[in-house]
């Protein structure tokens, strides 16, 4: 597709359940980033992937968070045993050679 | 620790006004500064600045970077209600590091 796509656009879950969020980057983009934006806050880095290198997981807030990127394209962010503080908009971005990151529409996660 | 600070945090103006949004940064191995506009969820790219003193312009929006004083400004002239959004500033380091974002400036343009 022309841009970064994410699914689902909205997800409501109960505390303690696992969720999976999906990101389809722009075709050919080698770098993929996950960010989180809580209400009224700036974007918080979570994890990024660059080509076949090991991902940089330094932003993941706890071991309940994990992500993978299959075949250098689609990425899935998994949150296990969700907590209410996980409620946020999860944004994915991709880039190729320039510094510009292009963002998807995000997934709004609500944990009840 | 790298950080980006934006000011003001929020701003309310009338249509036709000119606004200036500020961004200061402390980013190790700084390479570029990016501005995004966020209306609903997805930030949309506005400008990328790498060199001091060179203004980038797109319609009524313009931006400039000062690498000596470590700040950037985003100007919007003749504001319209469609300019209402959160404007995000982000610093980028050498390599494939993630962007370091400020908290944003929420601009509200009223008719």
């Amino acid at each position: 597709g022309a841009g970064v796509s994410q699914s689902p656009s909205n997800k409501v879950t109960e505390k303690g359940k696992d969720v999976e969020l999906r990101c389809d980057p722009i075709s050919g983009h080698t770098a993929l980033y996950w960010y989180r934006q809580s209400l009224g806050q700036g974007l918080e880095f979570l994890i990024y992937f660059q080509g076949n290198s090991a991902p940089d997981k330094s932003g993941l807030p706890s071991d309940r968070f994990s992500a993978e990127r299959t075949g250098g394209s689609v990425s899935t962010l998994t949150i296990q045993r969700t907590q209410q503080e996980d409620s946020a908009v999860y944004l994915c971005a991709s880039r190729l050679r320039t510094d510009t990151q292009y963002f998807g529409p995000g997934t709004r996660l609500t944990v009840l | 620790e790298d950080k980006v600070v934006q000011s003001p945090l929020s701003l309310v103006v009338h249509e036709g006004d000119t606004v200036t949004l500020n961004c200061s940064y402390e980013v190790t191995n700084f390479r570029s500064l990016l501005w995004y506009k966020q209306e609903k969820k997805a930030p949309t790219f506005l400008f990328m600045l790498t060199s001091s003193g060179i203004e980038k312009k797109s319609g009524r929006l313009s931006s400039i970077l000062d690498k000596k004083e470590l700040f950037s400004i985003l100007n919007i002239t003749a504001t319209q209600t469609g300019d209402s959004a959160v404007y995000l500033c982000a610093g980028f380091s050498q390599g494939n590091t993630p962007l370091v974002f400020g908290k944003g400036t929420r601009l509200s343009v009223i008719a």
Side-chain angles (χ1 to χ4, degrees):
Chain A
V4 178
S5 60
Q6 292 185 244
S7 61
S9 56
N10 287 284
K11 176 72 178 179
V12 180
T13 190
E14 294 179 348
K15 178 180 172 181
K17 295 283 179 69
D18 297 351
V19 295
E20 283 190 354
L21 312 179
R22 176 187 168 104
C23 171
D24 279 274
I26 294 172
S27 179
H29 279 198
T30 53
L32 185 148
Y33 303 77
W34 283 98
Y35 296 87
R36 174 170 77 172
Q37 188 175 32
S38 302
L39 191 63
Q41 299 297 310
L43 275 71
E44 172 193 6
F45 163 70
L46 296 176
I47 186 171
Y48 84 85
F49 299 86
Q50 171 61 45
N52 295 320
S53 303
D56 178 344
K57 305 178 183 180
S58 60
L60 294 178
S62 80
D63 58 9
R64 295 185 296 104
F65 288 72
S66 63
E68 62 177 21
R69 188 179 185 192
T70 53
S73 181
V74 172
S75 177
T76 302
L77 177 70
T78 301
I79 309 173
Q80 295 179 309
R81 306 181 301 282
T82 51
Q83 303 293 312
Q84 288 183 330
E85 60 263 29
D86 299 334
S87 296
V89 175
Y90 289 81
L91 290 158
C92 173
S94 71
R95 64 182 277 263
L96 185 53
R97 293 187 189 87
T98 70
D99 296 349
T100 304
Q101 295 182 19
Y102 295 92
F103 284 83
T107 294
R108 184 178 300 280
L109 174 66
T110 303
V111 182
L112 302 176
Chain B
E1 184 179 334
D2 292 347
K3 65 179 180 180
V4 172
V5 178
Q6 293 185 244
S7 64
L9 290 180
S10 67
L11 190 57
V12 181
V13 300
H14 288 95
E15 271 192 316
D17 287 352
T18 293
V19 298
T20 298
L21 310 183
N22 303 295
C23 174
S24 65
Y25 64 90
E26 294 176 26
V27 174
T28 308
N29 297 321
F30 173 83
R31 188 161 85 182
S32 62
L33 187 130
L34 289 84
W35 284 96
Y36 288 86
K37 177 182 182 182
Q38 186 176 30
E39 292 177 87
K40 291 182 179 176
K41 284 194 284 188
T44 54
F45 171 74
L46 294 175
F47 298 111
M48 182 180 75
L49 304 157
T50 56
S51 300
S52 270
I54 299 175
E55 184 182 58
K56 293 234 176 159
K57 200 168 170 63
S58 176
R60 296 176 295 102
L61 278 66
S62 64
S63 184
I64 197 161
L65 177 68
D66 185 327
K67 292 170 76 172
K68 182 180 176 186
E69 300 297 330
L70 306 182
F71 78 89
S72 173
I73 59 172
L74 175 69
N75 279 319
I76 309 174
T77 59
T79 51
Q80 302 172 357
T81 55
D83 295 327
S84 296
V86 175
Y87 290 84
L88 297 167
C89 170
F92 189 69
S93 294
Q94 305 284 342
N96 292 310
T97 54
L99 291 168
V100 178
F101 280 89
K103 290 186 188 282
T105 293
R106 180 174 296 280
L107 174 66
S108 299
V109 181
I110 55 178

